[in-house]
């Protein structure tokens, strides 16, 4: 059950972050490596590098999380997928340009690295640890007396 709530909350948060990325007043000027897609680029809240594609990815992850909330298995798949994706993004963010901008498409460097790692760890917990704790112990009825 907790995994479903994680999917819902993460989905709502990513949907909101995706929308906030389009608000000009919440972005400071972008000062990172060159981007092939500079639309809506900047630093969200002065910290996190974003652009149009980054915002769209956040919206897609948000929709995925909200949709995954509908079933326990869907929520587990969302949490596990998010954990794997965000570990990979954190690793890519550590590499030099053009890798840390996905070849100019999405900036994933700077403060995004630690945020991706924290997200991956939380998602991994809800994807692998929490579901195992939620499963009831199997009791062999033939051994009861």
């Amino acid at each position: 059950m907790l995994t479903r709530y994680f999917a819902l909350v993460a989905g709502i948060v990513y949907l909101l972050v995706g929308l906030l990325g389009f608000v000009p007043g919440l972005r400071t000027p972008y000062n990172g490596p060159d981007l092939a897609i500079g639309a809506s680029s900047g630093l969200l809240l002065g910290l996190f590098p974003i652009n149009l594609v980054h915002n769209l990815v956040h919206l897609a992850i948000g929709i995925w999380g909200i949709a995954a909330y509908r079933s326990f298995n869907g929520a587990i798949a969302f949490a596990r997928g998010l954990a794997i994706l965000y570990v990979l993004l954190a690793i890519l963010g550590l590499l030099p340009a053009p890798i840390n901008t996905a070849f100019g498409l999405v900036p994933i460097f700077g403060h995004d690295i630690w945020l991706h790692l924290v997200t991956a760890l939380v998602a991994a917990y809800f994807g692998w640890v929490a579901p195992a704790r939620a499963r009831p112990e199997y009791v062999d009825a033939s051994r009861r007396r």
Side-chain angles (χ1 to χ4, degrees), residues 84-109:
I84 293 167
L85 173 66
Y86 272 52
V87 162
L88 293 174
L89 288 176
I91 292 168
L92 291 176
L94 292 169
L95 300 174
I99 305 297
N100 69 2
T101 62
F103 300 98
L105 298 176
V106 182
I108 51 174
F109 57 87

Side-chain angles (χ1 to χ4, degrees), residues 33-90:
D34 290 337
L35 296 173
I37 300 174
S40 296
S41 65
L43 298 175
L44 183 61
L45 304 175
L47 296 172
F48 305 102
I50 58 167
N51 70 347
L52 173 67
V53 177
H54 205 148
N55 294 335
L56 294 175
V57 169
H58 285 156
L59 291 173
I61 290 172
I63 292 167
W64 179 27
I66 292 168
Y69 167 74
R70 297 181 327 160
S71 75
F72 184 65
N73 288 336
I76 290 173
F78 169 76
R80 290 178 180 178
L82 193 65
I84 293 167
L85 173 66
Y86 272 52
V87 162
L88 293 174
L89 288 176

